[in-house]
Every structure is written in structure tokens, then in C-alpha cells.
Amino acid sequence: MRAPSYKITNQSFLTLLIFHFLLLLPILLKAQKTDIVILDNGDRLTGEIKWMEQAVLKFNTDAMSYIDIKWKKIVYLKTTNSFRVENSDGSLFFGMLETDSLKKELIVGIGSKANRVDMDDVVEISEVKDTFRKGLNLSVDLGFTYTKASDIVQFNLSGDGGYSTLYWDRNFSFRSVLTLQNDTSFTKNQNVKVTLYRLLPNKYFLTGFAGATQNTELGLKMRLSFGGGGGRHLLRTNNSILRAAIGLQGTREWQYGTSEVKNNLESVFAAGYEKFMLFTPKLNINISIQAYPNLTETGRYRIDFDAKIKWELIKDLFWGITFYDNFDSKPPQESSGEGQNDYGITLSLGWKY
């Protein structure tokens, strides 16, 4: 039996060619890296601008993959992608980027609607992302210790991440500290928190948050919390951030050994400080404190304190030490006889994406 034959006309061939071109178009566009950066030593780089924070521009090239460039070393850059730019007074600008090298200004946008920002006043640049995966940044720390003399095994896992779009920032964090002693005593201190920020002019912001906490030492089987408030960045530069916030939150608590459930309303007072030392080696210091006076249970208040120092060992790999203290003036159950505090120090290795 003779196989059927097909005649390919010029029109059908052109249609087929256009069809395959449209299929490949997203790949071709993704492969293009046409952003330009020129350094003060005359070096010209072509690639893709990812973001700028802590006075470091993250730049992606085909030849060298991701590289870090000191912001003060850049004399010219240009990109046709859309970015969000924040300056030191909290103002936000959106659009394509180019620099005026003579005036040392960053031009955000095009034409008569473009804004000019002094290069030294730029605090952060983040791309307006079209997908969650592209916009996600993530840091994970892992630690393990064993002490033979006291037969204590401790495992800790922590991390944080974020995702930004236009006027919104979304952050999450988690920590888990599990301790086993003499094969008989097992304690855990675990929490996870999700926070949403709506950025406002003059460094102000609105925030909403939700979280879950477990703490064996304080007899807390589970605490669910949700709330909101507002705050302000008191200091925001390329190497330091100081912020404060106030708000209200509702909590629902379960304790060990009883089916009783407690519902509480708490006020929230929070402050945080971050300090960055950017090169040789990179060093990050992060300190936060939250106070929760209870508005439902008279005389009860809680305080959470965290301090973390992280050193970069090699690119994107960090060694860290963390001190934490969780205080409750009237804990659900003083099950371990240790009173009102649960505190500890953890060592870890971390990776940043």
C-alpha cells in the first residue's frame, strides 16, 4: 500500500514557522540579558540586574553567574525591566532604570514622568516580579550539638524569607529547637510567623501577622495568634535598619495536661535593629524584641527576644550564633519547674538563596 503524500505550500510552511517561533519566544526572551553596568574602573558588564540591598547590587551574567557589585563602584547602569526603588526618606519609585553619570543620579521611569534619586540615597532596589518563584528570597540555618557529659542532644532549624511587589512586602520566619536529655526528657521550642507589610510614605507601614508557637518548657502545647498594627522605619540606610511598631493581636492557647482553651487579647510593642558589614567577611547582626501586655488576663505579659550574628564563610554559606529568650509572667503551666523563662544559644550553618 502506497503511503499518502502531503504537499507543503509556502503558506503552510510560513504558518508552521510562525507557530514554532511563538512556542520558542518565551525561551528566547528569558535568555536575553541586556542590562548594562559600568564600573568606576571602566569595566562594562552585560547581564541581568536582580536586586540591590545592603549597598550591594546582585547581577547575573552568563559567564560568571551571580556576582555581587558594590553600589558605590557603579558609575552607570541601564535596564528596561521594571523595578521598585526606595530611598533613604522612605519614598518609593517605580519604572525602568538608568543613571545620569554626571549628576550621580538614578533615573527611575522614562520621559517627563521620570524621577531622579541621588545614587547615595538609594537604599533598596527590587524587581517587580511576575511570579512567586522569581521573587522569593530564602535563608535557612541548620544546627546540631551533642554533649556527652550531660547526654544532651540538640537539633535546631530556622529560616526566613520574603517576597515583594509594588507597595507590599510579605515575610515569613520559622524556628525549631528540639532537645533530648538522657533519653527521658524531650523539649521543643517551635514557632512560625507570616507577616504582611503595606508600605506608606515617610517610612511608615501597616502590618498584619499570624503565627503559631509551641514551648514545652513553659507548658504551652500550642498558641495561635493573629493581629495587625502600624509602625515606622526610624533609620533605614544601606547598612542599618531600625524600626518600631505597635498593634493588637488575639491569641488562642492550649496547655499540656488539660483540655482548657484560653482566648486572649494582647497589645503588641515591637522593635528591631539590623546591621550589615558588607565585605571581607560579610557580617549580619539582627536584634528583635516584642512585648505583649495581656489585656484579658490581669498582670500577665510576655516578652520575646532574639539576637543573631551571621558570618559568611564562602559565597552564600553562613555560620551563625543565636540567643533567644521567651518570657511569660504567667505561663500556661510551669511543667519543668524552670519558672517563667525559656532561653538558649544555638550554633548553625546557613544558606541564602
Side-chain angles (χ1 to χ4, degrees):
M1 182 176 178
R2 186 177 179 181
S5 60
Y6 298 91
K7 184 178 181 180
I8 301 179
T9 64
N10 290 337
Q11 183 178 1
S12 62
F13 177 78
L14 181 60
T15 302
L16 187 64
L17 185 63
I18 293 175
F19 175 74
H20 283 85
F21 175 78
L22 291 175
L23 287 179
L24 292 173
L25 183 59
I27 299 176
L28 295 174
L29 291 176
K30 184 177 180 180
Q32 292 179 346
K33 296 179 179 178
T34 58
D35 299 344
I36 299 171
V37 172
I38 299 178
L39 306 181
D40 56 3
N41 63 1
D43 287 350
R44 178 189 176 101
L45 304 175
T46 301
E48 182 182 9
I49 295 173
K50 304 303 292 184
W51 65 79
M52 191 281 283
E53 62 180 1
Q54 301 173 17
V56 176
L57 181 76
K58 183 71 72 171
F59 195 70
N60 186 16
T61 68
D62 290 327
M64 296 177 287
S65 186
Y66 287 98
I67 58 175
D68 292 338
I69 305 172
K70 291 182 180 180
W71 183 247
K72 65 181 181 180
K73 296 290 186 181
I74 297 173
V75 296
Y76 179 82
L77 65 80
K78 183 177 181 179
T79 176
T80 56
N81 294 321
S82 294
F83 284 84
R84 184 182 81 185
V85 178
E86 182 177 355
N87 70 0
S88 57
D89 68 7
S91 299
L92 299 176
F93 308 96
F94 305 92
M96 297 182 290
L97 307 179
E98 191 173 2
T99 53
D100 184 333
S101 300
L102 294 178
K103 295 183 178 180
K104 295 184 179 180
E105 292 177 335
L106 182 67
I107 304 171
V108 187
I110 57 176
S112 60
K113 295 184 178 180
N115 294 282
R116 288 175 172 262
V117 184
D118 191 289
M119 293 282 284
D120 292 334
D121 289 337
V122 177
V123 172
E124 184 175 290
I125 298 175
S126 54
E127 190 173 3
V128 179
K129 303 295 184 178
D130 56 353
T131 66
F132 176 77
R133 182 185 63 82
K134 289 182 181 179
L136 177 67
N137 60 79
L138 178 65
S139 174
V140 179
D141 301 297
L142 178 66
F144 176 83
T145 58
Y146 171 68
T147 306
K148 183 178 180 181
S150 55
D151 197 18
I152 295 178
V153 178
Q154 185 181 81
F155 171 83
N156 63 84
L157 174 68
S158 63
D160 57 74
Y163 174 65
S164 300
T165 58
L166 292 181
Y167 294 99
W168 295 91
D169 284 341
R170 304 157 181 85
N171 296 333
F172 66 89
S173 62
F174 63 89
R175 183 182 69 211
S176 177
V177 181
L178 308 178
T179 306
L180 177 64
Q181 183 174 12
N182 299 323
D183 295 326
T184 57
S185 174
F186 176 72
T187 62
K188 54 188 176 182
N189 184 327
Q190 303 183 110
N191 64 73
V192 59
K193 187 174 184 179
V194 178
T195 308
L196 177 67
Y197 294 97
R198 175 57 165 90
L199 304 180
L200 301 174
N202 300 318
K203 302 183 185 180
Y204 288 97
F205 58 84
L206 297 176
T207 180
F209 43 85
T213 302
Q214 290 182 314
N215 193 314
T216 309
E217 191 77 9
L218 298 179
L220 181 65
K221 188 175 183 180
M222 176 65 71
R223 177 191 295 120
L224 300 179
S225 59
F226 62 93
R232 190 174 191 266
H233 286 100
L234 305 177
L235 173 68
R236 185 161 175 78
T237 67
N238 281 327
N239 57 26
S240 299
I241 297 175
L242 176 63
R243 57 183 173 270
I246 59 173
L248 291 173
Q249 74 171 14
T251 67
R252 188 172 177 86
E253 295 179 338
W254 292 262
Q255 67 184 51
Y256 290 101
T258 178
S259 59
E260 181 184 2
V261 179
K262 290 185 177 181
N263 297 313
N264 296 288
L265 179 64
E266 298 176 325
S267 51
V268 180
F269 299 91
Y273 177 72
E274 298 177 55
K275 178 70 175 179
F276 318 109
M277 299 177 63
L278 305 175
F279 286 92
T280 58
K282 287 184 180 179
L283 174 66
N284 291 356
I285 301 174
N286 195 318
I287 301 172
S288 65
I289 185 169
Q290 298 89 35
Y292 307 97
N294 199 302
L295 303 179
T296 306
E297 187 175 351
T298 303
R300 183 184 179 188
Y301 61 95
R302 300 185 299 107
I303 299 175
D304 292 335
F305 176 82
D306 285 271
K308 176 181 288 189
I309 302 176
K310 298 176 68 173
W311 292 268
E312 186 177 49
L313 302 176
I314 57 176
K315 184 176 176 61
D316 297 330
L317 184 66
F318 291 81
W319 179 82
I321 179 171
T322 301
F323 172 78
Y324 65 89
D325 188 358
N326 305 124
F327 173 84
D328 192 335
S329 64
K330 295 182 179 181
Q333 178 186 358
E334 298 182 10
S335 57
S336 304
E338 297 293 336
Q340 303 163 320
N341 283 75
D342 181 24
Y343 57 87
I345 297 176
T346 63
L347 304 176
S348 62
L349 281 175
W351 169 77
K352 183 178 181 180
Y353 168 74

PDB file of all heavy atoms in Angstrom, residues 2 26 64 69 106 110 130 149 156 186 213 223 250-251 325 327:
ATOM      1  N   ARG A   2       0.588   2.131  -0.887  1.00  0.00           N
ATOM      2  CA  ARG A   2       1.409   3.329  -1.033  1.00  0.00           C
ATOM      3  C   ARG A   2       1.049   4.355   0.040  1.00  0.00           C
ATOM      4  O   ARG A   2      -0.114   4.626   0.292  1.00  0.00           O
ATOM      5  CB  ARG A   2       1.199   3.944  -2.404  1.00  0.00           C
ATOM      6  CG  ARG A   2       2.133   5.111  -2.691  1.00  0.00           C
ATOM      7  CD  ARG A   2       1.904   5.599  -4.100  1.00  0.00           C
ATOM      8  NE  ARG A   2       2.765   6.728  -4.383  1.00  0.00           N
ATOM      9  CZ  ARG A   2       2.761   7.386  -5.544  1.00  0.00           C
ATOM     10  NH1 ARG A   2       1.927   6.968  -6.518  1.00  0.00           N
ATOM     11  NH2 ARG A   2       3.566   8.401  -5.726  1.00  0.00           N
ATOM     12  N   PRO A  26       8.971  32.692  24.439  1.00  0.00           N
ATOM     13  CA  PRO A  26       9.233  32.879  25.874  1.00  0.00           C
ATOM     14  C   PRO A  26      10.638  32.477  26.278  1.00  0.00           C
ATOM     15  O   PRO A  26      11.254  33.104  27.133  1.00  0.00           O
ATOM     16  CB  PRO A  26       8.171  31.990  26.544  1.00  0.00           C
ATOM     17  CG  PRO A  26       7.090  31.865  25.516  1.00  0.00           C
ATOM     18  CD  PRO A  26       7.789  31.845  24.197  1.00  0.00           C
ATOM     19  N   MET A  64      29.710  34.495  34.452  1.00  0.00           N
ATOM     20  CA  MET A  64      30.101  34.382  35.860  1.00  0.00           C
ATOM     21  C   MET A  64      28.935  34.083  36.790  1.00  0.00           C
ATOM     22  O   MET A  64      29.086  34.150  37.998  1.00  0.00           O
ATOM     23  CB  MET A  64      30.785  35.678  36.303  1.00  0.00           C
ATOM     24  CG  MET A  64      32.079  35.973  35.577  1.00  0.00           C
ATOM     25  SD  MET A  64      32.820  37.559  36.082  1.00  0.00           S
ATOM     26  CE  MET A  64      31.708  38.724  35.280  1.00  0.00           C
ATOM     27  N   ILE A  69      28.200  43.336  43.348  1.00  0.00           N
ATOM     28  CA  ILE A  69      28.910  44.554  42.961  1.00  0.00           C
ATOM     29  C   ILE A  69      28.613  45.638  43.997  1.00  0.00           C
ATOM     30  O   ILE A  69      27.448  45.922  44.292  1.00  0.00           O
ATOM     31  CB  ILE A  69      28.465  45.049  41.568  1.00  0.00           C
ATOM     32  CG1 ILE A  69      28.637  43.936  40.522  1.00  0.00           C
ATOM     33  CG2 ILE A  69      29.253  46.283  41.165  1.00  0.00           C
ATOM     34  CD1 ILE A  69      28.055  44.285  39.171  1.00  0.00           C
ATOM     35  N   LEU A 106      20.108  58.372  39.910  1.00  0.00           N
ATOM     36  CA  LEU A 106      19.413  57.235  39.310  1.00  0.00           C
ATOM     37  C   LEU A 106      18.099  57.737  38.751  1.00  0.00           C
ATOM     38  O   LEU A 106      17.289  58.337  39.465  1.00  0.00           O
ATOM     39  CB  LEU A 106      19.169  56.148  40.359  1.00  0.00           C
ATOM     40  CG  LEU A 106      18.476  54.870  39.861  1.00  0.00           C
ATOM     41  CD1 LEU A 106      19.387  54.114  38.902  1.00  0.00           C
ATOM     42  CD2 LEU A 106      18.086  53.973  41.034  1.00  0.00           C
ATOM     43  N   ILE A 110      10.624  56.847  32.556  1.00  0.00           N
ATOM     44  CA  ILE A 110      11.044  57.457  31.300  1.00  0.00           C
ATOM     45  C   ILE A 110      10.245  58.734  31.045  1.00  0.00           C
ATOM     46  O   ILE A 110       9.154  58.925  31.589  1.00  0.00           O
ATOM     47  CB  ILE A 110      10.853  56.491  30.106  1.00  0.00           C
ATOM     48  CG1 ILE A 110       9.391  56.032  30.016  1.00  0.00           C
ATOM     49  CG2 ILE A 110      11.781  55.294  30.229  1.00  0.00           C
ATOM     50  CD1 ILE A 110       9.108  55.152  28.814  1.00  0.00           C
ATOM     51  N   ASP A 130       6.883  38.862  38.313  1.00  0.00           N
ATOM     52  CA  ASP A 130       5.643  38.355  37.731  1.00  0.00           C
ATOM     53  C   ASP A 130       5.277  36.980  38.259  1.00  0.00           C
ATOM     54  O   ASP A 130       4.200  36.466  37.998  1.00  0.00           O
ATOM     55  CB  ASP A 130       5.748  38.296  36.207  1.00  0.00           C
ATOM     56  CG  ASP A 130       6.941  37.467  35.722  1.00  0.00           C
ATOM     57  OD1 ASP A 130       7.740  37.058  36.574  1.00  0.00           O
ATOM     58  OD2 ASP A 130       7.051  37.250  34.502  1.00  0.00           O
ATOM     59  N   ALA A 149      28.918  14.613  78.375  1.00  0.00           N
ATOM     60  CA  ALA A 149      28.906  14.678  79.840  1.00  0.00           C
ATOM     61  C   ALA A 149      27.492  14.743  80.392  1.00  0.00           C
ATOM     62  O   ALA A 149      27.172  14.098  81.411  1.00  0.00           O
ATOM     63  CB  ALA A 149      29.712  15.878  80.315  1.00  0.00           C
ATOM     64  N   ASN A 156      18.534  22.120  65.845  1.00  0.00           N
ATOM     65  CA  ASN A 156      17.828  23.379  65.585  1.00  0.00           C
ATOM     66  C   ASN A 156      17.771  23.659  64.086  1.00  0.00           C
ATOM     67  O   ASN A 156      18.734  23.442  63.348  1.00  0.00           O
ATOM     68  CB  ASN A 156      18.458  24.538  66.353  1.00  0.00           C
ATOM     69  CG  ASN A 156      19.881  24.834  65.937  1.00  0.00           C
ATOM     70  OD1 ASN A 156      20.116  25.546  64.974  1.00  0.00           O
ATOM     71  ND2 ASN A 156      20.851  24.285  66.677  1.00  0.00           N
ATOM     72  N   PHE A 186      12.356  15.308  76.773  1.00  0.00           N
ATOM     73  CA  PHE A 186      12.302  15.857  75.421  1.00  0.00           C
ATOM     74  C   PHE A 186      11.544  17.179  75.456  1.00  0.00           C
ATOM     75  O   PHE A 186      10.401  17.239  75.921  1.00  0.00           O
ATOM     76  CB  PHE A 186      11.606  14.884  74.470  1.00  0.00           C
ATOM     77  CG  PHE A 186      11.428  15.427  73.079  1.00  0.00           C
ATOM     78  CD1 PHE A 186      12.512  15.575  72.235  1.00  0.00           C
ATOM     79  CD2 PHE A 186      10.170  15.800  72.620  1.00  0.00           C
ATOM     80  CE1 PHE A 186      12.357  16.072  70.956  1.00  0.00           C
ATOM     81  CE2 PHE A 186      10.003  16.300  71.342  1.00  0.00           C
ATOM     82  CZ  PHE A 186      11.103  16.433  70.503  1.00  0.00           C
ATOM     83  N   THR A 213       2.930  28.842  67.859  1.00  0.00           N
ATOM     84  CA  THR A 213       4.056  28.625  68.770  1.00  0.00           C
ATOM     85  C   THR A 213       3.804  27.395  69.634  1.00  0.00           C
ATOM     86  O   THR A 213       2.681  27.163  70.093  1.00  0.00           O
ATOM     87  CB  THR A 213       4.259  29.842  69.688  1.00  0.00           C
ATOM     88  OG1 THR A 213       4.476  31.009  68.899  1.00  0.00           O
ATOM     89  CG2 THR A 213       5.450  29.646  70.615  1.00  0.00           C
ATOM     90  N   ARG A 223      -0.012  27.808  70.684  1.00  0.00           N
ATOM     91  CA  ARG A 223      -0.600  29.144  70.696  1.00  0.00           C
ATOM     92  C   ARG A 223      -0.756  29.623  69.262  1.00  0.00           C
ATOM     93  O   ARG A 223       0.211  29.664  68.507  1.00  0.00           O
ATOM     94  CB  ARG A 223       0.268  30.142  71.462  1.00  0.00           C
ATOM     95  CG  ARG A 223      -0.315  31.577  71.414  1.00  0.00           C
ATOM     96  CD  ARG A 223       0.644  32.632  71.937  1.00  0.00           C
ATOM     97  NE  ARG A 223       0.930  32.455  73.360  1.00  0.00           N
ATOM     98  CZ  ARG A 223       2.139  32.239  73.854  1.00  0.00           C
ATOM     99  NH1 ARG A 223       3.176  32.139  73.034  1.00  0.00           N
ATOM    100  NH2 ARG A 223       2.319  32.083  75.145  1.00  0.00           N
ATOM    101  N   GLY A 250      -4.925  38.850  68.766  1.00  0.00           N
ATOM    102  CA  GLY A 250      -5.699  37.867  69.505  1.00  0.00           C
ATOM    103  C   GLY A 250      -4.959  36.549  69.538  1.00  0.00           C
ATOM    104  O   GLY A 250      -4.275  36.192  68.570  1.00  0.00           O
ATOM    105  N   THR A 251      -5.043  35.818  70.641  1.00  0.00           N
ATOM    106  CA  THR A 251      -4.371  34.528  70.772  1.00  0.00           C
ATOM    107  C   THR A 251      -5.349  33.468  71.277  1.00  0.00           C
ATOM    108  O   THR A 251      -6.327  33.783  71.972  1.00  0.00           O
ATOM    109  CB  THR A 251      -3.169  34.597  71.738  1.00  0.00           C
ATOM    110  OG1 THR A 251      -3.646  34.841  73.075  1.00  0.00           O
ATOM    111  CG2 THR A 251      -2.207  35.689  71.326  1.00  0.00           C
ATOM    112  N   ASP A 325      15.270  34.289  74.058  1.00  0.00           N
ATOM    113  CA  ASP A 325      14.683  34.258  75.394  1.00  0.00           C
ATOM    114  C   ASP A 325      13.184  34.510  75.254  1.00  0.00           C
ATOM    115  O   ASP A 325      12.774  35.544  74.712  1.00  0.00           O
ATOM    116  CB  ASP A 325      15.326  35.314  76.291  1.00  0.00           C
ATOM    117  CG  ASP A 325      14.871  35.194  77.758  1.00  0.00           C
ATOM    118  OD1 ASP A 325      14.031  34.310  78.051  1.00  0.00           O
ATOM    119  OD2 ASP A 325      15.360  35.977  78.586  1.00  0.00           O
ATOM    120  N   PHE A 327       9.861  34.887  77.575  1.00  0.00           N
ATOM    121  CA  PHE A 327       9.429  35.107  78.953  1.00  0.00           C
ATOM    122  C   PHE A 327       7.908  35.218  79.002  1.00  0.00           C
ATOM    123  O   PHE A 327       7.286  35.849  78.152  1.00  0.00           O
ATOM    124  CB  PHE A 327      10.056  36.387  79.506  1.00  0.00           C
ATOM    125  CG  PHE A 327       9.538  36.782  80.861  1.00  0.00           C
ATOM    126  CD1 PHE A 327      10.066  36.232  82.009  1.00  0.00           C
ATOM    127  CD2 PHE A 327       8.511  37.711  80.973  1.00  0.00           C
ATOM    128  CE1 PHE A 327       9.570  36.594  83.265  1.00  0.00           C
ATOM    129  CE2 PHE A 327       8.017  38.083  82.213  1.00  0.00           C
ATOM    130  CZ  PHE A 327       8.548  37.524  83.363  1.00  0.00           C
TER     131      PHE A 327
END
